Amino acid sequence: MDLSVRAVHRAPTSMILVSWVFMSAGFFLSCAVAGYGERFVFCEYLLSNPLYTDDIEGFTQEIILAQSYGIDAFSLNTKTWAVEDQYRASQIYAAAKQLGTGFKLFFTPNWDTGTNITAQDVVEMLTSYSSHPNQFTNQGKQFLSS
């Protein structure tokens, strides 16, 4: 897997944005660093498209790979909250917990045209993992991106 740094953007404050793209056999995973004070490296992860297998072992491999590049968290992008997505979410959260490295996860429901995410789905995502030790929080609050 090739990791190339595509761009570094410096905002006028202490915020720094860095963009990466993972490339392997047509698989793209974009990343960004953003923060004020404490900084974290987030990668948007397509929940519907695991690189390895969609079980704890496969997701563990992906987390280890991401951490080897300095990535702190996956933003779990999903267009649906179907059984497959719920299963993959449970497996990647279990992998992060089992790994014990402090890797964080949070959801990015995709609201684009043609998606099947409902407000109730988002509530279920948030409540299902609100107390999980690998759920990313900011200032004590669960983090959600859209």
Side-chain angles (χ1 to χ4, degrees), residues 16-112:
I16 298 175
L17 299 176
V18 180
S19 299
W20 283 282
V21 177
F22 279 104
M23 294 174 278
S24 176
F27 181 80
F28 294 95
L29 178 62
S30 63
C31 306
V33 177
Y36 296 93
E38 187 175 12
R39 294 191 176 112
F40 301 95
V41 180
F42 302 147
C43 278
E44 183 175 18
Y45 180 88
L46 302 176
L47 199 55
S48 63
N49 192 21
L51 182 60
Y52 301 109
T53 56
D54 67 350
D55 55 19
I56 292 173
E57 290 75 24
F59 288 124
T60 298
Q61 286 181 277
E62 293 195 49
I63 292 169
I64 290 169
L65 177 63
Q67 287 184 308
S68 75
Y69 288 107
I71 296 164
D72 300 307
F74 281 155
S75 165
L76 304 176
N77 182 296
T78 185
K79 291 183 176 189
T80 70
W81 193 232
V83 172
E84 301 85 22
D85 303 296
Q86 293 174 36
Y87 170 76
R88 288 182 180 133
S90 72
Q91 296 299 287
I92 198 165
Y93 271 91
K97 183 176 182 179
Q98 182 176 305
L99 196 54
T101 59
F103 192 79
K104 299 296 183 182
L105 303 161
F106 61 93
F107 289 102
T108 303
N110 191 332
W111 298 96
D112 290 340

